Coordinates of all heavy atoms in Angstrom, one line a residue:
F461 N 107.2 114.0 11.5 CA 106.1 114.7 12.1 C 106.4 115.3 13.4 O 106.0 116.4 13.8 CB 104.9 113.7 12.2 CG 103.7 114.3 12.9 CD1 102.9 115.3 12.2 CD2 103.3 114.0 14.2 CE1 101.8 115.8 12.8 CE2 102.2 114.6 14.8 CZ 101.4 115.5 14.1
I462 N 107.2 114.6 14.3 CA 107.6 115.1 15.6 C 108.9 115.8 15.4 O 109.8 115.2 14.8 CB 107.7 113.9 16.6 CG1 106.3 113.2 16.7 CG2 108.2 114.4 17.9 CD1 106.3 112.0 17.6
P463 N 109.1 117.0 16.0 CA 110.3 117.7 16.0 C 111.4 116.9 16.7 O 111.2 115.9 17.3 CB 110.0 119.0 16.7 CG 108.5 119.2 16.6 CD 108.0 117.7 16.7
A464 N 112.7 117.5 16.6 CA 113.8 116.9 17.2 C 113.5 116.7 18.7 O 112.9 117.6 19.3 CB 115.1 117.7 17.0
K465 N 114.1 115.7 19.3 CA 113.8 115.4 20.7 C 114.3 116.5 21.6 O 115.5 116.9 21.5 CB 114.4 114.0 21.1 CG 113.9 112.9 20.3 CD 114.6 111.6 20.5 CE 114.2 110.5 19.6 NZ 114.5 110.8 18.2
H466 N 113.5 116.9 22.5 CA 113.9 118.0 23.5 C 114.4 117.3 24.8 O 115.3 117.7 25.4 CB 112.7 118.9 23.8 CG 113.0 119.9 24.8 ND1 113.9 120.9 24.7 CD2 112.5 120.0 26.1 CE1 113.9 121.6 25.8 NE2 113.1 121.1 26.7
L467 N 113.6 116.3 25.2 CA 114.0 115.7 26.5 C 113.4 114.3 26.5 O 112.2 114.1 26.2 CB 113.5 116.5 27.7 CG 113.7 115.9 29.1 CD1 115.2 115.9 29.4 CD2 113.0 116.7 30.1
C468 N 114.2 113.3 26.9 CA 113.7 111.9 27.0 C 114.1 111.5 28.4 O 115.1 111.8 28.9 CB 114.3 111.0 26.0 SG 113.9 111.4 24.3
Q469 N 113.2 110.7 29.1 CA 113.5 110.2 30.4 C 113.2 108.8 30.6 O 112.3 108.3 29.9 CB 112.6 111.0 31.4 CG 113.0 112.5 31.5 CD 112.1 113.2 32.5 OE1 111.0 112.8 32.8 NE2 112.6 114.3 33.1
F470 N 113.9 108.1 31.4 CA 113.6 106.7 31.8 C 113.7 106.7 33.3 O 114.6 107.1 33.9 CB 114.7 105.8 31.2 CG 114.4 104.3 31.5 CD1 113.5 103.6 30.7 CD2 115.0 103.7 32.6 CE1 113.2 102.3 31.0 CE2 114.8 102.4 32.9 CZ 113.9 101.7 32.1
S471 N 112.6 106.2 33.9 CA 112.5 106.2 35.4 C 112.4 104.7 35.9 O 111.6 103.9 35.3 CB 111.3 107.0 35.8 OG 111.1 106.9 37.2
L472 N 113.2 104.4 36.9 CA 113.2 103.1 37.5 C 112.9 103.2 39.0 O 113.7 103.9 39.7 CB 114.5 102.3 37.2 CG 114.6 100.9 37.8 CD1 113.6 100.0 37.1 CD2 116.0 100.4 37.6
H473 N 111.9 102.6 39.5 CA 111.6 102.7 40.9 C 111.9 101.4 41.6 O 111.5 100.3 41.1 CB 110.1 103.0 41.1 CG 109.7 104.4 40.5 ND1 109.4 105.5 41.3 CD2 109.5 104.8 39.3 CE1 109.1 106.5 40.5 NE2 109.2 106.1 39.3
C474 N 112.6 101.5 42.7 CA 113.0 100.3 43.4 C 112.6 100.3 44.9 O 112.6 101.4 45.5 CB 114.6 100.1 43.4 SG 115.3 100.1 41.8
L475 N 112.2 99.2 45.4 CA 111.8 99.1 46.8 C 112.9 98.4 47.6 O 113.3 97.3 47.3 CB 110.5 98.3 47.0 CG 109.2 99.0 46.4 CD1 108.0 98.0 46.6 CD2 109.0 100.3 47.1
F476 N 113.4 99.1 48.6 CA 114.5 98.5 49.4 C 113.9 97.7 50.6 O 112.9 98.2 51.2 CB 115.4 99.6 50.0 CG 116.4 100.2 48.9 CD1 116.0 101.2 48.1 CD2 117.6 99.6 48.7 CE1 116.8 101.7 47.2 CE2 118.5 100.1 47.8 CZ 118.1 101.2 47.0

Side-chain angles (χ1 to χ4, degrees):
F461 176 72
I462 299 177
K465 301 172 187 64
H466 173 68
L467 177 66
C468 300
Q469 295 180 333
F470 182 83
S471 178
L472 180 64
H473 296 255
C474 303
L475 293 177
F476 284 88

